[in-house]
Amino acid sequence: MKKLILMFLALLTVMVGNAAGRKINIMDLPPFERAVVIIKKFETLHKPEHWPYVGYGHCVQPGEPYRRGVQLTEKQADALLRKDLRKFVSLYKAYGKDALLLSES
């Protein structure tokens, strides 16, 4: 938990490019988007040799359509990350605004 909090604090000054190509401060983003940017920065896109991990830290579960040796595109990995993050945030929804932080512990 301390590691995650320190990571968030360290990234307060991180600049993120938007679609127009200009830089914006990470703190200008909504909390969910901030979490996505931070996870992508520190998790990085997994390669086929990292199996059973695909995308940005997703551990493949039995019955999922991911295959060994096939790397997800950045778009697929981003969609999977957002899906996983929404799922874990919903597990902690009883904690209100802290649900996002708790989902990453």
Side-chain angles (χ1 to χ4, degrees):
M1 182 73 122
K2 289 180 185 178
K3 180 180 169 185
L4 184 63
I5 291 171
L6 289 174
M7 182 175 50
F8 277 119
L9 292 175
L11 288 173
L12 288 177
T13 59
V14 170
M15 302 299 274
V16 183
N18 68 1
R22 67 178 185 54
K23 299 284 185 172
I24 59 172
N25 190 309
I26 193 170
M27 295 309 289
D28 294 336
L29 297 173
F32 186 89
E33 293 302 318
R34 273 185 249 163
V36 169
V37 169
I38 292 167
I39 292 166
K40 284 182 170 184
K41 179 172 177 56
F42 286 95
E43 188 65 43
T44 68
L45 188 58
H46 286 283
K47 296 181 178 4
E49 60 265 19
H50 298 137
W51 184 263
Y53 294 96
V54 297
Y56 293 103
H58 176 83
C59 185
V60 177
Q61 302 298 310
E64 290 185 322
Y66 309 108
R67 297 185 324 241
R68 180 185 292 268
V70 177
Q71 182 171 350
L72 298 180
T73 65
E74 200 285 324
K75 186 176 178 179
Q76 291 169 321
D78 181 81
L80 182 58
L81 169 62
R82 290 168 186 277
K83 178 184 168 191
D84 284 347
L85 191 53
R86 276 189 223 97
K87 178 176 78 173
F88 292 122
V89 167
S90 72
L91 292 174
Y92 294 101
K93 66 183 173 188
Y95 294 95
K97 66 180 183 175
D98 293 329
L100 182 61
L101 180 62
L102 290 169
S103 72
E104 294 306 305
S105 58

